[in-house]
Amino acid sequence: MSTVLYARVSTSDQTLSHQKTQAEEAGFKIDQVVSDHGVSGVSTSLRERPEGKRLYDMLRRGDTLVVRWVDRLGRNYSDVTETIRDFMSRGVVVKTVINRMTFDGATTDPIQMAVRDALIGFMAATAQAQHEATKASQRAGIEAQKTSKTKRKAYVGRKPTYDRETLDTVVGMIAAGTAGTTDISRATGLSRQTVLRIKEDPAKASTALAKWEAGEQA
């Protein structure tokens, strides 16, 4: 049995070494790394990616697939959920670096199965919301380039107090359901009010961050 890290590197700040370091710091012992570079997770499914195809061929029953977050595995809600369930049906355990989520098809306990499936659905939906926010931010960035710096700041609103990694962590902890608002606040350094806003509407929080990311790059 082996532990394989799959990394999709689509932007300059999503380096392979960074994703591998994150996994190792989270306690994973990685036997092999498989990565796709310059591939969009929005338009290309895992099976369509050069190394994604190899991943399907190499993983065997009992192996563990590690990814930073579920958005590495698909383009949208349907794609992510189908991919995770496909791997589970093959006897492959899927784990995430953020909050150490585990998706194992071997469990037969109905309660554990219900919790597992609910988590898959929640996180896949959040991943799709982030993809949609990214596309919205790209459109906003184009428009921002046509306006003055002052107008651009007015358009995107107040800068969020969290970055993308912190937002992913908060969403993951909310999905796990094992930590309350105060615990998440302490773990991330965010205020309780900020955590509550993210909890109320993760997609809106992601969109607000994406607009600022686009504005800074414009």
Side-chain angles (χ1 to χ4, degrees):
M1 296 184 291
S2 62
T3 299
V4 180
L5 170 68
Y6 174 73
R8 176 174 57 78
V9 185
S10 58
T11 63
S12 59
D13 62 341
Q14 297 175 350
T15 65
L16 176 59
S17 60
H18 177 61
Q19 293 184 50
K20 185 173 185 292
T21 298
Q22 278 189 320
E24 292 173 338
E25 289 178 346
F28 291 103
K29 183 178 179 181
I30 305 301
D31 297 311
Q32 190 170 351
V33 177
V34 176
S35 62
D36 278 301
H37 295 258
V39 176
S40 169
V42 177
S43 59
T44 310
S45 69
L46 184 62
R47 286 182 179 276
E48 296 170 336
R49 304 170 198 166
E51 293 302 293
K53 296 176 182 177
R54 188 163 75 90
L55 193 66
Y56 273 97
D57 292 335
M58 67 185 295
L59 288 173
R60 297 288 184 269
R61 181 172 296 276
D63 288 344
T64 298
L65 171 61
V66 178
V67 290
R68 178 181 178 274
W69 190 238
V70 295
D71 64 351
R72 304 294 92 180
L73 295 175
R75 300 167 296 182
N76 50 42
Y77 174 87
S78 175
D79 203 15
V80 171
T81 54
E82 287 179 8
T83 298
I84 293 178
R85 289 186 174 121
D86 187 9
F87 279 125
M88 288 196 303
S89 71
R90 295 163 176 254
V92 176
V93 178
V94 180
K95 295 187 176 184
T96 67
V97 173
I98 295 178
N99 290 302
R100 297 294 297 272
M101 298 293 181
T102 298
F103 302 104
D104 186 353
T107 181
T108 57
D109 181 89
I111 300 298
Q112 292 182 359
M113 291 172 64
V115 171
R116 178 200 65 199
D117 291 345
L119 283 174
I120 292 174
F122 179 87
M123 293 198 296
T126 301
Q128 180 170 345
Q130 290 181 350
H131 288 324
E132 295 299 324
T134 298
K135 290 192 290 185
S137 74
Q138 291 172 345
R139 292 193 296 269
I142 293 174
E143 292 301 319
Q145 291 178 350
K146 300 177 182 179
T147 64
S148 67
K149 183 176 180 180
T150 300
K151 289 182 178 179
R152 180 165 67 248
K153 285 187 175 180
Y155 174 74
V156 299
R158 181 181 300 177
K159 184 175 183 179
T161 57
Y162 47 85
D163 56 18
R164 180 62 61 186
E165 184 172 340
T166 303
L167 178 60
D168 286 347
T169 299
V170 172
V171 170
M173 294 180 77
I174 292 171
T178 56
T181 301
T182 300
D183 294 328
I184 297 175
S185 174
R186 290 172 179 169
T188 61
L190 299 179
S191 68
R192 291 185 77 259
Q193 290 75 16
T194 299
V195 173
L196 286 171
R197 284 197 297 270
I198 295 174
K199 186 175 183 179
E200 181 179 352
D201 195 338
K204 182 178 180 180
S206 183
T207 299
L209 178 59
K211 286 181 179 179
W212 260 95
E213 290 171 339
E216 290 177 343
Q217 294 169 7

